[in-house]
Amino acid sequence: MPKKFSRLWKMRKMPPANASMQNGRRMALPVDVRSPTHGNISLVSQAIFRSIQYPQMKRFSILFIILAIFTVSIAAGNVSFTVKAPGRIYEGDKFPVTFRLTNADGSDLKVSAIDGCTLLFGPSTSQSQSYSVVNGRAESSSAIEYTYYYRADKAGQFTIPAASVLADGKRLTTAPANFTVHERAERDTPGSQRPVAVDDVDTQTAGRKVNADDVFVRIILSRNSAYEQEAIGCTIKLYTKYSISSFMPTRQPSFDGFLIQELDVQPALNEIENYRGQDYMTAILKHCIIFPQKSGKLTINSGNYDISVIQYDNVNMGMFQVRQPRETKIKVSSNTGSIDIQPLPSPKPEGFNGAVGEFKVESRLVGNSFRTNDPATLFYTISGTGNIKYLKEPQIDFPTEFEQYTPKSDIQTSVSGNEVSGTMTVEYTFVPQSVGEFTIGSDKFVYFDPAKRDYVTLSTPTYPIKVAKGLSTPAPTEDQKAIENKNSDIRHIYLGDKNPSKSHSIVVTTTGYWMLYLGLLIAAAAIIIANRTRARRNADVTRMRTAKANKVATKRLKLAGKYLSAGDNDKFYEEMLHALWGYLSDKLSIPLSQLNRQNIVERLSEKEYSEETISSIVNVLDECEMARYTPDSSTRMDSIYEEGAKAINNLEKR
């Protein structure tokens, strides 16, 4: 919302009586929730009413009415009806199932029973409305949620049947959703003894071995067999039950025997997918369309990846336990993908140049009168689905009396699913050189259609043209200018002075030569000494980590300072802990996984730090840990930040 708009709205003395709640906050704009699909009209009427009731809102109302008039034609977003399946549940648990209708009024809701579960009550209905203005563009949306509450009677795999609702005169239906009810005994089993689950942090304990079915990368092909040059969709997808902190490909899959058209993807672990009966967070790493260039069994070799997953340690804090995240580095290889490529049928017809797919062609001759030395143009267009990006330019049969120039091609493609569609437009420019009647011959475009398993021949029409005598010789084209420049690249030899000097001296005998030689020797010696000094310094890992400890801590404290200024206490305390633990790990040369308060005190005592310095750093750690789980912990943020910086400075004084 623009600043000026927000400032005017703050002039209100009281919130609107019917303001709805959105995400725990009162919405800034009054909305009639009884008419979600006509929110803009309701806004206009309410603004007029409030301008009369509250004179101080007159200026705001005028601006708002003008804005609403210009945006009243903006309809709400797309209408949809979806279902939200429950998370991890056990036998006997009560759980909700929510059906969400977006941007419409609903009626005649029909929901079927869920096998293995008992309906307790429902539906519980809630409504929400949102309205936003971004850069002068208004957007509004509404939602109605119908929530049913069930009890899981037994363990097993169950399906939420499709539900339907009547909205805007149409009946909308949800897709069936699957969920799992786990046995009651699993709840009492320690997390380390239960199978790793994406929605159960207790099972993701530190030190637990990450199995091959916990994190893996799949190569997914859209088909098992295809013809040469036929488009095949290839997706490389990450499946994981753990959160990922870093992902580094060390070797990408190789596509030997294929041409590749890669598509832009933004990898993000934002979807849950059930694969082989288990739930995984997934992210698409690469999506491409591949075109096989030869027949036989072609294999896409696997890729290698270095991945850091997040596991958790349960840290005993006395009265309660907290989970401390730990990074575990693993190496993952993707599977290999194989596909049988069939050769194109033989014999191949004349004119076939490798086009595979489904196409159509057309040609168009520009102009209806032609003269000698006047350029003319023939456009040839191929459109359709297939390997259009790799087609060759057709050879058009022009009369020998025509001068031809290099054809210009323009290819536009788009991807839909696992198919590539588009157009290839070729521009042929020619210049008639003789008067008379001529014919531009037709062209035969031959392609192989995998659906029909046969070759298809398309023809373009012939173009009879009559050429009259031109009035003048046209200016030279760019191609002709290039030829003229080639004929003028040899220049006359410059004769110059015929009496060159014969005096010369040997460079080795000069003082400057030996001074330069000596300078190079000194520079080489300095470089060798500097490299050896650096190598000795780098070899002392403990000293290097200690030297860098303060820099790293300062950088992290700087980020914690940003969270302090923003008032984000959760992220502030989390970043303070990361800074202090990381600093002490580097300062004391103790791996982060082995670091605890006891060995911190012991190691600092061995280094003869004062008890005051040791207790100050430990107190800051304790206060940060306690503050993360204490309500209203924002009052101590400033002092904790100062104490942490002071404690690090005290350690750095020695």
Side-chain angles (χ1 to χ4, degrees):
M1 184 181 297
K3 292 183 179 178
K4 185 176 182 181
F5 194 75
S6 300
R7 186 170 65 253
L8 291 173
W9 180 246
K10 291 179 181 177
M11 293 172 61
R12 298 180 306 165
K13 290 187 176 180
M14 60 183 297
N18 63 342
S20 63
M21 300 297 290
Q22 181 74 4
N23 297 328
R25 295 184 179 180
R26 187 173 296 278
M27 295 176 58
L29 297 178
V31 177
D32 186 358
V33 298
R34 294 171 300 174
S35 181
T37 58
H38 300 86
N40 292 327
I41 298 175
S42 299
L43 290 173
V44 176
S45 60
Q46 290 188 34
I48 295 173
F49 171 77
R50 297 190 189 284
S51 66
I52 299 172
Q53 187 176 7
Y54 305 108
Q56 67 271 25
M57 294 185 62
K58 182 176 181 181
R59 185 181 177 189
F60 158 75
S61 299
I62 294 174
L63 291 176
F64 182 68
I65 291 169
I66 294 173
L67 176 64
I69 290 173
F70 280 103
T71 60
V72 71
S73 61
I74 300 176
N78 294 331
V79 177
S80 62
F81 188 45
T82 58
V83 60
K84 181 180 179 182
R88 172 171 288 268
I89 55 177
Y90 297 89
E91 288 178 284
D93 283 355
K94 300 174 184 178
F95 63 93
V97 175
T98 301
F99 300 92
R100 181 183 178 90
L101 176 62
T102 305
N103 297 323
D105 283 330
S107 62
D108 192 22
L109 176 65
K110 295 182 179 180
V111 177
S112 301
I114 302 176
D115 292 339
C117 301
T118 300
L119 175 64
L120 300 178
F121 66 91
S124 172
T125 305
S126 63
Q127 301 181 13
S128 62
Q129 183 97 5
S130 64
Y131 186 90
S132 63
V133 180
V134 180
N135 295 328
R137 181 176 180 180
E139 294 181 357
S140 65
S141 64
S142 63
I144 304 175
E145 291 187 346
Y146 308 93
T147 303
Y148 291 81
Y149 292 87
Y150 296 85
R151 183 182 64 244
D153 296 332
K154 58 182 179 180
Q157 292 279 344
F158 299 99
T159 299
I160 301 174
S164 66
V165 67
L166 191 62
D168 294 344
K170 298 180 181 179
R171 181 157 292 278
L172 304 179
T173 305
T174 64
N178 298 320
F179 68 98
T180 303
V181 177
H182 299 271
E183 294 183 357
R184 191 72 182 180
E186 289 188 24
R187 185 191 293 274
D188 302 325
T189 304
S192 59
Q193 299 179 16
R194 297 201 299 265
V196 178
V198 67
D199 56 352
D200 189 357
V201 179
D202 290 335
T203 63
Q204 303 172 14
T205 55
R208 183 170 188 167
K209 181 181 179 181
V210 181
N211 296 323
D213 61 346
D214 294 335
V215 182
F216 56 90
V217 176
R218 288 181 63 203
I219 297 176
I220 306 171
L221 298 173
S222 63
R223 60 186 70 188
N224 296 322
S225 63
Y227 284 99
E228 293 180 61
Q229 298 291 344
E230 186 176 4
I232 304 168
C234 178
T235 303
I236 301 178
K237 184 183 284 191
L238 169 67
Y239 290 74
T240 177
K241 297 179 181 177
Y242 293 92
S243 296
I244 302 295
S245 61
S246 67
F247 184 94
M248 179 65 66
T250 55
R251 188 187 71 178
Q252 293 282 9
S254 59
F255 296 85
D256 295 336
F258 295 93
L259 290 177
I260 307 174
Q261 181 174 345
E262 289 199 32
L263 308 178
D264 291 334
V265 295
Q266 299 294 332
L269 288 170
N270 55 6
E271 291 188 7
I272 301 294
E273 180 178 327
N274 188 280
Y275 177 68
R276 294 180 177 175
Q278 301 185 62
D279 289 336
Y280 293 90
M281 292 184 291
T282 63
I284 295 178
L285 307 178
K286 176 182 285 191
H287 182 49
C288 54
I289 308 297
I290 57 178
F291 299 89
Q293 300 300 296
K294 57 184 179 180
S295 60
K297 187 174 183 179
L298 301 184
T299 300
I300 302 173
N301 295 324
S302 65
N304 296 335
Y305 309 90
D306 288 344
I307 304 177
S308 294
V309 300
I310 301 298
Q311 296 180 313
Y312 297 91
D313 271 336
N314 289 326
V315 181
N316 192 347
M317 301 296 295
M319 294 182 295
F320 54 88
Q321 288 187 342
V322 297
R323 293 191 179 96
Q324 185 72 29
R326 296 280 184 263
E327 288 189 358
T328 302
K329 297 185 182 297
I330 61 174
K331 294 183 179 295
V332 173
S333 298
S334 67
N335 63 318
T336 58
S338 298
I339 186 168
D340 293 324
I341 305 301
Q342 305 175 32
L344 297 177
S346 295
K348 298 176 182 178
E350 183 180 357
F352 177 72
N353 287 322
V356 176
E358 185 177 357
F359 303 98
K360 61 180 181 180
V361 298
E362 61 180 11
S363 61
R364 176 171 57 91
L365 184 63
V366 178
N368 51 18
S369 62
F370 303 90
R371 295 179 179 274
T372 58
N373 298 321
D374 286 344
T377 304
L378 173 69
F379 288 97
Y380 191 104
T381 303
I382 305 171
S383 59
T385 300
N387 60 339
I388 192 167
K389 199 171 182 179
Y390 307 104
L391 298 183
K392 297 180 180 179
E393 296 172 350
Q395 300 296 321
I396 305 299
D397 183 18
F398 286 99
T400 56
E401 292 84 359
F402 289 2
E403 182 181 357
Q404 300 177 44
Y405 296 99
T406 303
K408 296 180 181 179
S409 298
D410 179 34
I411 300 177
Q412 302 290 335
T413 62
S414 62
V415 177
S416 177
N418 296 312
E419 299 290 347
V420 179
S421 302
T423 59
M424 175 183 182
T425 302
V426 186
E427 180 182 346
Y428 298 90
T429 302
F430 61 94
V431 179
Q433 300 293 321
S434 302
V435 176
E437 295 182 356
F438 305 93
T439 299
I440 299 177
S442 64
D443 174 70
K444 289 186 177 181
F445 178 76
V446 182
Y447 69 92
F448 178 77
D449 189 340
K452 299 178 180 179
R453 299 186 178 184
D454 198 4
Y455 294 95
V456 178
T457 300
L458 303 177
S459 299
T460 57
T462 60
Y463 293 97
I465 62 175
K466 185 175 182 179
V467 180
K469 184 174 180 59
L471 297 177
S472 60
T473 302
T477 64
E478 293 296 328
D479 293 342
Q480 292 170 335
K481 289 180 180 179
I483 296 174
E484 291 176 0
N485 290 335
K486 291 180 181 179
N487 295 332
S488 59
D489 60 353
I490 300 177
R491 305 299 180 186
H492 191 274
I493 298 175
Y494 175 70
L495 298 178
D497 189 2
K498 297 182 180 180
N499 299 311
S501 174
K502 296 182 179 180
S503 60
H504 62 274
S505 60
I506 300 176
V507 178
V508 180
T509 61
T510 62
T511 304
Y513 172 81
W514 289 106
M515 292 295 293
L516 178 62
Y517 187 78
L518 181 61
L520 291 175
L521 288 178
I522 294 174
I527 292 173
I528 293 174
I529 293 173
N531 285 337
R532 289 184 176 179
T533 303
R534 183 182 300 172
R536 286 196 300 270
R537 190 184 301 116
N538 292 339
D540 191 350
V541 177
T542 301
R543 180 179 178 185
M544 290 296 293
R545 291 185 63 187
T546 302
K548 294 180 179 179
N550 190 38
K551 293 181 180 180
V552 175
T554 302
K555 182 178 179 181
R556 285 189 175 272
L557 285 179
K558 183 177 180 181
L559 182 56
K562 292 182 179 180
Y563 293 136
L564 173 63
S565 301
D568 193 340
N569 57 336
D570 290 337
K571 291 186 178 180
F572 167 76
Y573 288 116
E574 181 180 353
E575 200 59 40
M576 283 292 295
L577 284 173
H578 286 175
L580 293 173
W581 284 107
Y583 169 78
L584 292 171
S585 175
D586 292 338
K587 185 72 176 178
L588 304 179
S589 299
I590 301 176
L592 194 60
S593 60
Q594 302 176 11
L595 197 64
N596 54 51
R597 287 165 176 73
Q598 182 178 355
N599 55 24
I600 289 174
V601 174
E602 292 177 355
R603 187 62 61 87
L604 291 176
S605 300
E606 292 176 1
K607 293 181 177 290
E608 298 182 355
Y609 284 98
S610 64
E611 293 186 2
E612 182 181 356
T613 301
I614 297 174
S615 62
S616 65
I617 194 72
V618 173
N619 287 339
V620 174
L621 290 173
D622 291 339
E623 289 194 27
C624 289
E625 291 281 7
M626 290 294 294
R628 292 179 66 188
Y629 304 95
T630 302
D632 194 18
S633 58
S634 59
T635 56
R636 285 274 297 150
M637 292 169 62
D638 290 326
S639 58
I640 288 178
Y641 182 80
E642 294 177 0
E643 292 172 7
K646 182 178 179 181
I648 292 176
N649 289 333
N650 290 337
L651 292 178
E652 287 297 310
K653 287 181 180 179
R654 295 188 50 189

